[in-house]
């Protein structure tokens, strides 16, 4: 069966500091990978998605970036965090194509920027 | 702007009752619909997907889709206190380059099942 891991689980960072969040998937090959952010009282916002190694698409322009150095590894980064970057960051995976492609979420990282 | 609307709640139902959660969406071209359950402080967990008009049942859960009315609902029969959570409706907007599914999420409905 497939398993998705995210770390760290929680993170408190000062404004202006760098960020690196990691997501790994086990039990599947060539998954689609997604990064979402959930801010308090708001719906999930898609930040980045990837359909393969080195293939990253950005949905929302901001000070975040993503990379996929390995088939089942997805990394979310920032060089300088803003207060508005606080939120619950969720990685998701899927292996389908088209409209029936179904996404499954990891446990998430709760980021607080002070 | 593709939108998915849900009543934020809280929706309170007594234990054993049927809970009815509703979702409307703006994009008539949407073809797939998903319900996720999210416990407080946890990540969303897939409950059901539905693609065709009508009802789809899975255990105590029934998803209902009416594309003409742009309406999807989730019924939970014999509600239990463990069903207390926020339920997120997600609707596909378009296919992402490479094949993934672009989903738009509602902000969720908080369900409270009372003893």
């Amino acid at each position: 069966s497939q398993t998705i891991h995210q770390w760290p689980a929680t993170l408190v960072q000062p404004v202006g500091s760098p960020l690196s969040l990691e997501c790994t998937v086990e039990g599947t090959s060539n998954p689609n990978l997604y990064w979402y952010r959930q801010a308090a009282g708001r719906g999930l916002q898609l930040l980045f998605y990837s359909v393969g190694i080195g293939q990253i698409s950005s949905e929302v322009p901001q000070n975040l970036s993503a990379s996929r150095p390995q088939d089942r590894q997805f990394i979310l980064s920032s060089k300088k965090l803003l207060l508005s970057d606080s939120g619950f960051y969720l990685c998701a995976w899927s292996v389908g194509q088209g409209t029936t492609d179904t996404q499954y979420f990891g446990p998430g990282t709760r980021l607080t920027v002070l | 702007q593709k939108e998915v609307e849900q009543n934020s709640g809280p929706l309170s139902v007594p234990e054993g009752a049927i809970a009815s959660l509703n979702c409307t969406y703006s994009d008539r071209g949407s073809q797939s619909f998903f319900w996720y359950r999210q416990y407080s402080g946890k990540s969303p967990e897939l409950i059901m997907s539905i693609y065709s008009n009508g009802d789809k049942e899975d255990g105590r859960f029934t998803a209902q889709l009416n594309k003409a009315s742009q309406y999807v609902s989730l019924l939970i029969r014999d509600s239990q206190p463990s069903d207390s959570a926020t339920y997120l409706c997600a609707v596909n907007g378009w296919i992402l380059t490479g094949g993934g599914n672009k989903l738009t999420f509602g902000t969720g409905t908080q369900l409270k099942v009372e003893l």
Side-chain angles (χ1 to χ4, degrees):
Chain A
S1 64
Q2 297 85 4
T3 308
I4 181 169
H5 303 279
Q6 286 187 248
W7 62 89
T10 60
L11 194 57
V12 180
Q13 292 285 92
V15 169
S17 64
L19 173 73
S20 181
L21 304 181
E22 189 166 341
C23 169
T24 59
V25 180
E26 297 176 354
T28 187
S29 297
N30 196 31
N32 300 319
L33 296 173
Y34 307 80
W35 277 113
Y36 287 88
R37 178 171 60 204
Q38 187 177 37
R42 300 181 65 182
L44 273 74
Q45 179 186 35
L46 180 63
L47 303 175
F48 301 93
Y49 68 93
S50 172
V51 297
I53 296 174
Q55 301 178 59
I56 308 295
S57 296
S58 173
E59 285 292 297
V60 182
Q62 53 201 322
N63 69 319
L64 299 172
S65 62
S67 62
R68 185 169 176 174
Q70 300 181 45
D71 180 42
R72 288 168 285 182
Q73 184 185 31
F74 205 20
I75 297 172
L76 182 70
S77 304
S78 174
K79 292 182 179 178
K80 287 187 176 182
L81 285 169
L82 306 173
L83 285 174
S84 58
D85 291 324
S86 294
F88 193 32
Y89 286 81
L90 293 156
C91 181
W93 69 272
S94 70
V95 291
Q97 291 284 317
T99 57
T100 60
D101 181 59
T102 302
Q103 296 175 28
Y104 301 90
F105 288 90
T109 294
R110 193 162 301 280
L111 172 65
T112 303
V113 182
L114 301 175
Chain B
Q1 178 78 5
K2 303 178 192 296
E3 295 182 345
V4 176
E5 300 287 340
Q6 295 182 257
N7 188 318
S8 62
L11 172 65
S12 294
V13 299
E15 184 178 6
I18 296 174
S20 178
L21 304 163
N22 305 316
C23 172
T24 58
Y25 59 95
S26 63
D27 182 9
R28 284 194 171 275
S30 297
Q31 298 179 55
S32 55
F33 307 86
F34 304 86
W35 283 100
Y36 289 85
R37 176 175 62 198
Q38 187 174 23
Y39 292 112
S40 180
K42 301 296 184 182
S43 63
E45 170 191 12
L46 180 71
I47 298 176
M48 291 186 70
S49 58
I50 186 167
Y51 310 112
S52 304
N53 279 328
D55 295 359
K56 178 181 179 182
E57 186 175 318
D58 184 0
R60 296 188 295 114
F61 299 97
T62 299
Q64 299 176 318
L65 175 60
N66 184 326
K67 290 184 180 180
S69 300
Q70 295 175 244
Y71 177 95
V72 58
S73 64
L74 180 70
L75 301 179
I76 306 175
R77 291 183 299 280
D78 188 24
S79 294
Q80 301 297 311
S82 59
D83 294 325
S84 297
T86 296
Y87 289 80
L88 304 177
C89 172
V91 177
N92 96 297
W94 56 82
I95 305 305
L96 299 166
T97 302
N101 211 353
K102 171 69 186 288
L103 297 180
T104 299
F105 285 81
T107 54
T109 298
Q110 185 183 6
L111 173 66
K112 292 185 176 181
V113 181
E114 299 167 333
L115 295 171

